[in-house]
Amino acid sequence: MKTIIVGGGIMGLSTAWGLARNGHEVELFEQGPLPNPLASSVDQHRLIRHPYGDHAGYARMIDEAFVAWDLLWGDLGQRLYASTGTLALTGNGANWAERSAAVLARIGKPMTEIAVDKLPRRFPLLDTKGVEHAYWMETGGVLFAQDIVGALVRHLRTRPNVRLHTDTPVRDVDLEHGSVTTAAGGKHAADAVVVAAGAWLPRLLPALSGRVVPSRQVVIYFDLPAEQRAAWATGPMIIDKTGDVGLYLVPPAEGRGMKIGDHEFSRRGDPDAAREASEEEMRPLLDRCRSLLKGFEHWRIEQLKVCFYSVTDDERFVVEKHGARGWVMSPCSGHGFKFGAVMGLELARTISGGRDAAAHAKWAAGLVGDAPT
């Protein structure tokens, strides 16, 4: 069969990979270059971790995600991942870490609680201001996102059954009849059409504009003194929920940058607008860094980077059948990259194998334990 995919981020590329490796024909359209530097997938790294608050379905799905990534590493001939472990912190009335630990204990993947007074001894680069509970898990790490996207593009270009269209915006999709029309007026048809357009999805499918919302997010890359950078290079990822700021820290594993971001969604912004950010708008995040990270006064902001999520109110993924031949694929909500390989692989299996679309949508939304069969 033939499938058209609109969007060349991690979700579209992974779906193309899943279909192509099973012998199906794929035609993918990306509005810019591949990789596209404006895509949400194209940044130095993304995190993968088991702690997921109350979302037991996604906590369970992490194991499936690791299996899919391992399959992809085999096809790419390289492993673009570094293990770091996961440190989850909460305080000031927030209880995300405790809820995560309770869910993981129920599914047989317990976290270890670390007494707050022992935290600096275990992790000497941290202070304990605002921290009331700390939990550790050996699993979790850093996916080298833009390297993965680049490697996937190169891999797909070697496949005779895949055609990648770059700098080719799609202006219209017909999910009932299975066709797309490009901005230049070209019409292309297939057995199935997958719209995986990220923050641009509501423009192509206005009916979803109130459900899937673009969200402008800013992350900070830091330049650290050499001694601290060396220490952090083998440090843990940190998820810190201590009130208004949902801080996450990505350590500079294998020569990548030290990145810190605020997971709270802006739910605003135009993905085509100028991507500029100011230090002042990041003041709450910087204040939390100052109280949590020892030696932070010696860190220098290297880059403020603006990216866009596409988010839903409940932070659950939307991977659904629309029309007789169409699929909408929006597994983002700020935490989608870690599931990129498994989301693409399983959607490819559902499209080509005729699996139940409603069951697939429930699984992608984290509402059941296992992928559809």
Side-chain angles (χ1 to χ4, degrees):
M1 64 179 295
K2 176 183 176 181
T3 300
I4 287 174
I5 298 172
V6 181
I10 188 60
M11 298 302 166
L13 292 170
S14 292
T15 305
W17 163 66
L19 287 163
R21 75 187 315 271
N22 287 320
H24 301 291
E25 185 180 353
V26 178
E27 200 168 4
L28 183 145
F29 294 82
E30 169 55 45
Q31 65 180 336
L34 278 171
N36 188 339
L38 297 182
S40 301
S41 306
V42 181
D43 194 14
Q44 289 189 36
H45 29 40
R46 292 287 188 269
L47 295 173
I48 181 168
R49 39 141 175 112
H50 278 95
Y52 244 89
D54 295 322
H55 289 308
Y58 289 130
R60 290 190 185 96
M61 199 186 292
I62 291 294
D63 286 343
E64 295 176 84
F66 274 120
V67 171
W69 286 119
D70 283 341
L71 186 65
L72 181 61
W73 307 148
D75 284 2
L76 298 181
Q78 55 183 325
R79 182 180 175 84
L80 297 168
Y81 170 75
S83 179
T84 66
T86 306
L87 180 63
L89 311 173
T90 50
N92 294 322
N95 63 355
W96 182 87
E98 296 96 305
R99 290 186 286 114
S100 297
V103 166
L104 288 169
R106 288 201 302 271
I107 66 174
K109 296 198 171 289
M111 303 184 78
T112 300
E113 185 165 12
I114 302 172
V116 173
D117 61 349
K118 295 180 179 177
L119 193 61
R121 189 187 322 162
R122 179 83 176 270
F123 300 101
L125 296 171
L126 297 181
D127 207 325
T128 59
K129 292 184 180 69
V131 177
E132 294 170 1
H133 294 277
Y135 291 86
W136 169 252
M137 196 169 191
E138 293 289 340
T139 64
V142 180
L143 293 160
F144 301 132
Q146 63 193 30
D147 292 344
I148 292 170
V149 171
L152 250 176
V153 170
R154 291 190 296 274
H155 173 72
L156 290 172
R157 282 182 172 144
T158 69
R159 301 297 301 252
N161 54 340
V162 177
R163 185 178 180 190
L164 303 178
H165 299 269
T166 58
D167 300 302
T168 308
V170 169
R171 76 177 186 209
D172 182 63
V173 296
D174 183 344
L175 302 185
E176 188 63 34
H177 299 98
S179 67
V180 304
T181 304
T182 67
K187 190 163 184 176
H188 303 256
D191 300 294
V193 173
V194 177
V195 181
W200 290 267
L201 185 143
R203 295 186 184 179
L204 277 174
L205 299 172
L208 292 174
S209 60
R211 187 176 171 198
V212 178
V213 180
S215 186
R216 176 183 177 274
Q217 308 293 139
V218 181
V219 297
I220 309 176
Y221 281 91
F222 290 95
D223 181 28
L224 280 62
E227 183 177 330
Q228 284 202 43
R229 181 176 178 81
W232 275 110
T234 56
M237 79 161 80
I238 298 174
I239 311 294
D240 174 60
K241 304 273 192 175
T242 52
D244 294 335
V245 176
L247 177 152
Y248 62 90
L249 180 150
V250 187
E254 297 187 15
R256 274 68 174 186
M258 166 65 93
K259 181 172 75 177
I260 297 180
D262 182 352
H263 187 61
E264 302 304 313
F265 300 141
S266 74
R267 299 183 184 277
R268 60 179 175 81
D270 178 355
D272 286 324
R275 300 196 175 192
E276 298 175 352
S278 68
E279 184 175 332
E280 187 55 37
E281 70 179 294
M282 304 306 295
R283 187 60 52 194
L285 180 63
L286 292 169
D287 288 344
R288 179 56 187 145
C289 289
R290 196 168 290 111
S291 64
L292 180 67
L293 307 172
K294 290 182 179 178
F296 184 72
E297 66 274 13
H298 301 298
W299 294 25
R300 181 179 65 82
I301 293 177
E302 185 174 71
Q303 181 188 16
L304 294 171
K305 183 169 183 178
V306 177
C307 66
F308 273 82
Y309 297 162
S310 49
V311 305
T312 58
D313 285 343
D314 59 6
E315 298 184 36
R316 295 188 183 277
F317 302 162
V318 178
V319 185
E320 298 172 353
K321 187 90 182 293
H322 283 249
R325 296 177 181 267
W327 282 84
V328 170
M329 190 182 200
S330 185
C332 306
S333 285
H335 61 107
F337 194 100
K338 64 178 68 65
F339 295 111
V342 71
M343 284 285 152
L345 201 62
E346 294 300 335
L347 182 55
R349 289 169 176 165
T350 294
I351 290 172
S352 60
R355 300 190 303 191
D356 183 70
H360 188 105
K362 285 186 68 175
W363 168 78
L367 297 173
V368 294
D370 300 309
T373 57

